[in-house]
Amino acid sequence: MSPFDSLDAFLIYSSGVFCSPLAIFIQIQGYLICLILAVGWAFAAYVRFIYCFLSCHRSREIRQMKDSMKGGNSFAFLSHDINDLEHSNQVNLPRVTVVMPLKGFGEHNLHNWRTQITSLYGGPLEFHFVVESMDDPAYHALNRLLADFKDDVDAKIIVAGLSTTCSQKIHNQLIGVERMHKDSKYVLFLDDDVRLHPGSIGALTAEMEKNPEIFIQTGYPLDLPSGSLGSYCIYEYHMFSSALFDGVCYWWQNIFPLGRVHDGKYQLLPFRTMHADDFRNNRHEVVSDLRDGGYSDDMTLAAIAGAHKRLITSPPVAVFPHPLASDLSFSRFVMYWNYLRKQTFVLESYTTKVNWIMNRALFSSHCYLSWGFVAPYLMAVVHLAAAIRIYSLGHSLGDTAHTSRGLTLAGCLAICTFIELLSMWNLTRIEVQLCNMLSPEALPLSLASYNWCLVFVAMLVDNFLYPISAFRSHFSQSINWSGIRYHLKDGKISKIDRSKDKGPKYTDLGGKRLYGKRGVHPNSSIFGSWSTNLTQWRQPRKFDV
């Protein structure tokens, strides 16, 4: 028998094995996982549709904006009631401090910073950009940016120094909080990879004012893939987080009235709004838990909220464009792999025994479901390959009953996959529409730029690699992120290694430049005037340092 015949026999035999009762169970389980994800995204879209389109008691965002605009309020994206924009109301708004920990500089950073410092919030507002050292390229880029806004924006760059007991990001955040104004009522933590809408800070502050019981207010990133497979992997990962967060929040709030609590691993928070006094008074030991061995601010704060039954909310307007770097190609495998490692590594950090048990449950369930999702596709490929070979050899597919059954199973998987992608498309469509309405001055986002074939491939890649990354994180208990290696012991950072040389030149996510030349580059005008900025502040532009 020729090797080619041996391959045909192997395919036909494998197709038969994959039609056994156990294999059929695995495939049906995969169908259910697909449909559950589809239902999750459909539910998330429904929640935002209800919140954003219908006249429910909690929010009527898009309908209210449209009605307000028809009534002559051209600033409906800032407030549904134009009377709220009167000077007499604006002067009474609470003071807000925005803290942004920075590391490195990439192609979208300058664009993102513009949207953040040009907020149309009417109350007292200050910005604290916190870097590790003046060697960080972000320091020089910010100096140039803030020089053009020195008379319009209360912003400062703070050099935090090296962290010794917690992650560098948490260290920068806490230093920024220490320097906030004594009258600040709220503190808004921002990541540098999202873009704000003009009315974002005002809307978030209004929600905090309405409900003082809120502990953390958070939101969703709307990933804007660059076209590379790596960027679509990140988009798919965040969409999974979004669906889970919506579902957990809804059921926790309505079925178990203990407050909205979610796990930080499943929702990558681009921002969070909190009460400034919680940090001044170290309420619930929030500062101590972060400072003393904290690796993930998301996980630590989520654990505190769960332990003390504090409320975590996400208003419908809290959806922010998150542009992904154009050089985030999957060929740079180490970059994407380290990004995924960072997401799985946070499950190894914890603050309480309950938090540890929850992380282990998430670890086990996610690994099982990820490979349970991928396995049916591998079997479907074998079924299709066997059917093609049988047909090409001139035989009837009916001659082998298991091959016909395999095609039926593959067809069912295709239907489930189509439903899943359609549900993801619908949720993305609603988020794109909402972002466009909240930022009328920006270049409109378009759903047409999404490649759904790459989205499908990204789902397979993400779910195949996730268990491998999770086990790697579990057994190593260490990770190198942005040139710093963190070691965990009992869920806390026990050791921080910084090599004597500078280490990698770029960050693992987005290819941001980590190191630049010391000193400020010659200044050049970035904005001609404030009015020009309001119309052009979202034009994509690279800033070379």
Side-chain angles (χ1 to χ4, degrees):
M1 183 178 290
S2 67
F4 192 74
D5 292 334
S6 298
L7 178 60
D8 292 340
F10 175 76
L11 287 175
I12 295 172
Y13 172 77
S14 299
S15 180
V17 171
F18 291 158
C19 289
S20 66
L22 176 60
I24 291 176
F25 168 78
I26 293 174
Q27 291 170 84
I28 292 177
Q29 175 185 257
Y31 307 159
L32 292 176
I33 295 173
C34 280
L35 293 176
I36 289 172
L37 285 173
V39 170
W41 285 317
F43 178 79
Y46 171 79
V47 167
R48 294 178 205 182
F49 179 86
I50 290 295
Y51 286 178
C52 300
F53 288 87
L54 303 182
S55 299
C56 69
H57 67 282
R58 300 185 59 194
S59 180
R60 301 178 292 274
E61 292 302 326
I62 291 181
R63 172 171 289 186
Q64 285 185 350
M65 278 190 278
K66 290 181 177 180
D67 291 344
S68 184
M69 292 173 67
K70 289 179 181 178
N73 179 12
S74 58
F75 295 98
F77 62 96
L78 297 179
S79 176
H80 303 309
D81 186 356
I82 197 170
N83 293 323
D84 291 340
L85 303 179
E86 293 288 342
H87 178 72
S88 57
N89 293 322
Q90 295 287 296
V91 295
N92 294 321
L93 291 175
R95 175 178 285 273
V96 177
T97 297
V98 179
V99 176
M100 189 188 304
L102 303 177
K103 179 74 172 181
F105 184 79
E107 63 179 293
H108 295 295
N109 283 141
L110 189 65
H111 190 181
N112 296 339
W113 296 337
R114 290 183 197 137
T115 69
Q116 293 159 0
I117 65 174
T118 53
S119 169
L120 297 183
Y121 180 65
L125 183 64
E126 64 175 352
F127 293 86
H128 289 177
F129 296 92
V130 191
V131 296
E132 175 186 304
S133 71
M134 289 188 292
D135 290 333
D136 195 311
Y139 179 86
H140 307 303
L142 275 169
N143 265 323
R144 298 184 61 176
L145 174 63
L146 297 184
D148 289 344
F149 283 91
K150 59 184 177 181
D151 297 327
D152 301 301
V153 178
D154 181 6
K156 63 186 71 172
I157 306 174
I158 299 174
V159 178
L162 301 180
S163 63
T164 57
T165 61
C166 59
S167 69
Q168 188 65 47
K169 178 182 179 181
I170 290 178
H171 176 72
N172 289 6
Q173 288 175 329
L174 295 179
I175 293 297
V177 168
E178 288 179 2
R179 307 284 182 86
M180 68 181 171
H181 195 280
K182 61 181 180 63
D183 294 329
S184 288
K185 186 174 182 179
Y186 301 112
V187 56
L188 171 60
F189 295 103
L190 276 179
D191 288 353
D192 65 353
D193 54 0
V194 296
R195 299 172 183 171
L196 291 188
H197 307 295
S200 292
I201 297 179
L204 299 173
T205 302
E207 289 292 325
M208 297 290 283
E209 289 287 280
K210 289 178 185 176
N211 188 358
E213 296 301 315
I214 294 175
F215 179 55
I216 301 173
Q217 205 173 190
T218 185
Y220 304 88
L222 171 59
D223 290 321
L224 307 176
S226 62
S228 64
L229 179 57
S231 66
Y232 278 100
C233 287
I234 296 173
Y235 161 77
E236 189 278 332
Y237 189 91
H238 285 184
M239 288 297 287
F240 172 78
S241 306
S242 175
L244 184 67
F245 182 55
D246 273 324
V248 169
C249 281
Y250 178 83
W251 289 105
W252 197 276
Q253 176 70 9
N254 294 282
I255 307 302
F256 305 101
L258 299 176
R260 283 186 186 158
V261 179
H262 77 287
D263 192 285
K265 176 261 164 194
Y266 279 107
Q267 179 62 28
L268 303 179
L269 309 173
F271 78 95
R272 65 188 63 83
T273 310
M274 300 181 66
H275 294 271
D277 282 342
D278 286 345
F279 288 89
R280 292 191 184 100
N281 304 324
N282 195 20
R283 189 177 185 187
H284 305 316
E285 298 185 337
V286 61
V287 175
S288 301
D289 285 343
L290 287 170
R291 182 189 58 221
D292 301 334
Y295 168 72
S296 168
D297 51 332
D298 297 345
M299 292 292 287
T300 303
L301 293 173
I304 292 172
H308 298 277
K309 297 182 174 56
R310 296 298 306 276
L311 191 65
I312 297 179
T313 65
S314 179
V317 296
V319 179
F320 304 105
H322 177 217
L324 297 171
S326 60
D327 60 353
L328 191 59
S329 62
F330 195 74
S331 60
R332 299 176 68 176
F333 180 77
V334 174
M335 175 185 291
Y336 174 72
W337 172 253
N338 282 347
Y339 166 78
L340 187 61
R341 280 268 285 118
K342 181 176 184 289
Q343 309 315 313
T344 58
F345 189 71
V346 296
L347 284 179
E348 302 304 317
S349 64
Y350 55 88
T351 56
T352 64
K353 186 67 174 179
V354 172
N355 194 208
W356 178 84
I357 294 174
M358 177 181 276
N359 288 357
R360 296 279 66 77
L362 290 171
F363 173 94
S364 303
S365 60
H366 199 160
C367 289
Y368 177 82
L369 293 174
S370 289
W371 276 351
F373 175 85
V374 173
Y377 290 97
L378 300 178
M379 296 181 182
V381 169
V382 173
H383 291 315
L384 291 173
I388 291 173
R389 289 303 301 151
I390 290 174
Y391 181 79
S392 65
L393 293 173
H395 298 288
S396 171
L397 296 179
D399 294 343
T400 53
H402 58 263
T403 303
S404 299
R405 188 182 304 171
L407 286 179
T408 301
L409 292 170
C412 292
L413 180 61
I415 294 173
C416 293
T417 302
F418 175 79
I419 295 173
E420 180 184 23
L421 290 173
L422 181 63
S423 182
M424 187 187 297
W425 170 87
N426 185 50
L427 175 57
T428 306
R429 177 184 63 84
I430 290 177
E431 291 183 341
V432 165
Q433 182 177 0
L434 180 59
C435 285
N436 285 336
M437 293 200 68
L438 291 171
S439 294
E441 85 296 338
L443 292 175
L445 305 178
S446 173
L447 198 63
S449 62
Y450 288 77
N451 185 327
W452 297 98
C453 291
L454 281 179
V455 171
F456 168 69
V457 175
M459 288 194 297
L460 297 180
V461 172
D462 266 340
N463 284 283
F464 177 75
L465 291 180
Y466 183 89
I468 300 174
S469 174
F471 281 103
R472 176 74 175 86
S473 298
H474 178 70
F475 289 107
S476 69
Q477 291 293 299
S478 68
I479 189 173
N480 188 321
W481 185 249
S482 297
I484 305 174
R485 178 164 293 278
Y486 299 101
H487 301 264
L488 293 183
K489 182 178 181 181
D490 297 328
K492 298 280 190 178
I493 289 180
S494 61
K495 183 181 178 183
I496 301 176
D497 289 335
R498 291 181 172 87
S499 58
K500 293 182 180 180
D501 57 347
K502 287 187 174 181
K505 186 176 180 180
Y506 297 96
T507 60
D508 301 317
L509 174 59
K512 290 194 298 182
R513 184 177 297 178
L514 286 174
Y515 306 106
K517 296 179 180 179
R518 185 179 296 273
V520 181
H521 291 234
N523 193 21
S524 61
S525 177
I526 301 175
F527 304 98
S529 65
W530 181 263
S531 60
T532 302
N533 170 71
L534 286 179
T535 59
Q536 298 181 348
W537 66 337
R538 293 178 183 253
Q539 299 290 336
R541 189 181 307 176
K542 289 189 178 182
F543 188 89
D544 192 17
V545 290

